[in-house]
Amino acid sequence: MNAENNIQTINIGILGFGTVGQGTWKHLEENDKFWAKILGVELIPQRASVRSIEKARNVKISDSALTTDSLSIVDDPEIDLICELIGGIEEAKILTLHAFEKGKSVVTANKALICEHGDELFEAAEKAGVQYGFEASVAGGIPIIKVLRESMVANEFPLIYGILNGTSNYILTRMEREGVSFEDVLTDARELGYVEADEALDLDGVDAAHKAVILAYLAHGIWVNLEDITVEGIRRISTEDLQAARKLGCKIKLIGVIRRNFENNHISVGVYPALVPMDEIIARTDGVYNGISLTGSVVGTVVLTGRGAGQDPTAGSVISDIVDLVKAKKGISGAVKLRHVTPNECKPAKAVEIQGSFYLRLTVEDRPGQLAKVADCLAEHEVSLATVSQRPKSKSATSTVILTTHDTNEHSMNMAIQSLETLQGVIEKPVLFRVFDPNAVSKG
Amino acid sequence: MNAENNIQTINIGILGFGTVGQGTWKHLEENDKFWAKILGVELIPQRASVRSIEKARNVKISDSALTTDSLSIVDDPEIDLICELIGGIEEAKILTLHAFEKGKSVVTANKALICEHGDELFEAAEKAGVQYGFEASVAGGIPIIKVLRESMVANEFPLIYGILNGTSNYILTRMEREGVSFEDVLTDARELGYVEADEALDLDGVDAAHKAVILAYLAHGIWVNLEDITVEGIRRISTEDLQAARKLGCKIKLIGVIRRNFENNHISVGVYPALVPMDEIIARTDGVYNGISLTGSVVGTVVLTGRGAGQDPTAGSVISDIVDLVKAKKGISGAVKLRHVTPNECKPAKAVEIQGSFYLRLTVEDRPGQLAKVADCLAEHEVSLATVSQRPKSKSATSTVILTTHDTNEHSMNMAIQSLETLQGVIEKPVLFRVFDPNAVSKG
């Protein structure tokens, strides 16, 4: 059924079936029931264009859904919405403009295209009355574009800066941590498939510059020419520099910086390695992570970090754009459903089902065997100790004992604490804190 | 003109004219031309309800715009949209439901109200066909609700955790940094006006628990009862604990934690002090800042930090909700304007206008007077030195010199580098990085 009238399904055509294209297909299919619930519309990934139909893929897709002819997908009257994920500039531009002419909205992750031709494309989309979503083009899974345009709508932005390229950040992080040379880490990064075929994009700051240009436009309404701004890469950074920076309380990061001076109304946009003070979140955003610090005139500084690339994070952003576009089409946008529409059959965990480790501070009588008594008491409730330190309190016959436990459950710990409270030689009510393990994502 | 037909203005009534109410009024008025541009609609703060009309205020507002009767604003046919910023539960609930009945959308920062009566209020808003915006209710200026519901729409959330109360985080940060006791810092915090009148909200984790309950609902569709979850505060944390935690590579933070175990379909929600590993951004989110880490099934971990309270950040979130609601009303939501609508009269800064300091690595001949020559060369271009270190390179007659400069401008630095490149005794092309000063927000 066509998307324009009495929408029941939105058929999605994906141009380019690489990493992000396949990720988008996969997550659209896996969550098909969810889209119907939140949108009242089914999102159907229907066709995809590829370079070679025969190539083996990780995503299940029938050969009949594949074509080598991207244009045929754009022209297909059954296809309502286009995801342009082929990358590159010329062909992507032609296909995008053609989709707009056909009245089809487009979602893209193509930063180079928007950086070069954003002005023309945005105008064409508005003229055609269609939508153009590009959340995935900057910082992969970090929802920077939505935050900048919608959440921080009441702000002007004197400063936006951050790490916009994960590959170069990965290289710098490993150089810094392991003292390994640029060339050696680069070899590894190539083997891991982290480096773009055109290495200048990652190593010479070009990819980050594309993104900085887009952010500068969104924040300030001015398209800066890539040729007019400082764009430096990471090739000249040595491990010695990284060490020297550390002594200065900084890390060297490849950052994109967009400054607006409201007094003289200047804007400066650049991408370059810089020493960033260690107390900045951006300085401690390591590995393949990206991080962006937005300083808004109203809200102050908001920092977002997350995966800047990769199949799933980028596909997640593509899909959030698809959902927004469909909402806009249906006129239900903004009217986010307040009440939850996923089955809420989950239930609060019982204490015995919540795993975790604990920090425990006790004040005890300072006498032989007291610590053993405490440990025995814990062991009775199957709480075992990870670390122990004991220190006598000055001017008293008591000691402070600080313990951490191995993984246990809340019920056992509660029972152990109750026993400790009545244990001979334990003077005050024990102080108990949880040790938070962010890697244990679903201990509840 | 009424908001329902041929909208030209949206008249806004603000219930409660405390910190956030006044901030909202101020920013709406200051940016009046901007709203017309992005929305095609004027946003007019028209009336506000107060406890006492006579009280001195920092915001310019005519007495005739003020009333002590909140209900009269809700009932006023001239008022199109309500901001409920009075706080508390019973009166706020009555006013909100009454606004819904009148067909008026409501924006609120009232976490206690939503935590207690969200289910009923959401149902009433949907039944009345109006919008209910509450971005400002969780983490002030951090756009957590929009990110969770819109940007991360393709995700399930095994773990959401973070610092949701700025006052308690301020107290813990000062205790940790200065070794000052809880009571002493609390006295300061009270004097600074950081602590709510009902101190249990900040100190016993109740405020953070309200927010955790809202996030749990948004992520998992289940309203957890405040009474059924672990809610602990910070009163029992000693400076000794903070030191012990540091030795364990952690900081003690008051965190809200929402875990979902998809295997047994359990959810656990709690607010408690916990040792958080120092390499987590949340552990290093200090002072009045809030931070939230969202782990999504598709996007991985995204962390947002920013000011969790205060007039401007919270007002900024209130206004972003107002803009979203107006867009939804006009059916232009989602259809974010692609092209920039603010005047883009700003222009790229010239190099001489860009201030900053630099890091410089030189390889020089290892002979007396060489460093002085370098310093002279820099001084000629008015670049002065902040730090200098020189180290001979082994097995060569050369040294590595690492310098940092005081503030200069890019033009001077470029000229200085050109001179250095031809300076006698300077062997390789100098390596130059910028020293990034995040506090200099508009150096461009």
Side-chain angles (χ1 to χ4, degrees), chain A residues 27 34-35 38 122-123 125-126 131-132 134 141 143 146-147 149-151 153-154 158-159 161 217-222 230 232 236-238 240-241 244 248 252 255 257 259-261 264-268 272-277 280-281 284 289 295 298-299 301-306 312-313 316 319-320 323 328 333-340 344-349 353-354 359 361 387 391 400 402 404 429-431 433-438 440-444, chain B residues 27 34-35 38 122-123 125-126 131-132 134 141 143 146-147 149-151 153-154 158-159 161 217-222 230 232 236-238 240-241 244 248 252 255 257 259-261 264-268 272-277 280-281 284 289 295 298-299 301-306 312-313 316 319-320 323 328 333-340 344-349 353-354 359 361 387 391 400 402 404 429-431 433-438 440-444:
Chain A
H27 289 295
F34 179 68
W35 313 125
I38 62 166
F122 289 5
E123 192 178 337
E126 290 197 9
Q131 301 289 305
Y132 191 32
F134 52 101
K146 186 179 272 266
V147 168
R149 293 207 295 189
E150 299 180 32
S151 301
V153 66
L159 175 64
Y161 91 98
Y217 174 73
L218 293 174
H220 304 297
I222 181 170
T230 302
E232 295 169 9
R236 296 205 70 206
I237 302 171
S238 70
E240 190 175 14
D241 295 322
L248 295 162
I252 300 182
I255 53 176
V257 182
R259 288 187 194 276
R260 173 84 177 261
N261 184 329
N264 61 18
N265 224 349
H266 280 161
I267 180 173
S268 71
Y272 39 72
L275 281 74
V276 182
E280 289 287 295
I281 290 172
R284 297 165 313 192
Y289 276 75
T295 299
V298 175
V299 84
T301 297
V302 170
V303 183
L304 295 92
T305 69
D312 290 336
I319 291 173
S320 76
V323 169
S333 200
V336 180
K337 281 217 184 310
L338 285 164
R339 281 184 293 167
H340 217 277
N344 55 9
E345 77 280 15
C346 68
K347 56 178 193 289
E353 294 161 331
I354 301 176
Y359 165 102
R361 172 162 54 86
T387 68
R391 197 163 51 81
T400 299
I402 289 177
T404 59
K429 192 170 180 288
V431 172
F433 304 132
R434 287 161 187 80
V435 177
F436 185 72
D437 177 3
V441 285
S442 50
K443 286 195 165 186
Chain B
H27 290 293
F34 179 68
W35 314 125
I38 61 166
F122 289 3
E123 191 177 340
E126 290 197 8
Q131 301 289 306
Y132 191 32
F134 51 101
K146 185 180 274 268
V147 168
R149 292 207 295 189
E150 299 179 32
S151 301
V153 65
L159 174 63
Y161 91 98
Y217 174 73
L218 292 174
H220 304 294
I222 181 170
T230 302
E232 295 169 10
R236 296 204 71 206
I237 302 171
S238 70
E240 190 175 14
D241 296 321
L248 295 163
I252 299 181
I255 53 176
V257 181
R259 289 187 195 277
R260 172 83 177 261
N261 183 330
N264 61 18
N265 226 348
H266 280 161
I267 180 173
S268 71
Y272 41 72
L275 281 74
V276 182
E280 289 288 294
I281 290 172
R284 297 164 314 190
Y289 277 75
T295 299
V298 176
V299 85
T301 298
V302 170
V303 183
L304 296 92
T305 68
D312 290 336
I319 291 173
S320 76
V323 169
S333 199
V336 180
K337 280 214 184 313
L338 285 165
R339 281 185 294 167
H340 218 277
N344 55 8
E345 76 280 16
C346 68
K347 56 179 192 289
E353 294 162 331
I354 301 176
Y359 165 102
R361 172 162 54 86
T387 68
R391 198 161 51 80
T400 299
I402 288 175
T404 59
K429 191 167 181 290
V431 171
F433 304 132
R434 287 161 185 80
V435 177
F436 186 74
D437 177 3
V441 286
S442 49
K443 287 198 163 184

Side-chain angles (χ1 to χ4, degrees), chain A residues 53-65:
Chain A
I53 293 192
E54 285 73 32
K55 195 179 154 192
R57 294 182 173 85
N58 294 324
V59 173
K60 246 177 51 185
I61 183 169
S62 70
D63 277 2
S64 66

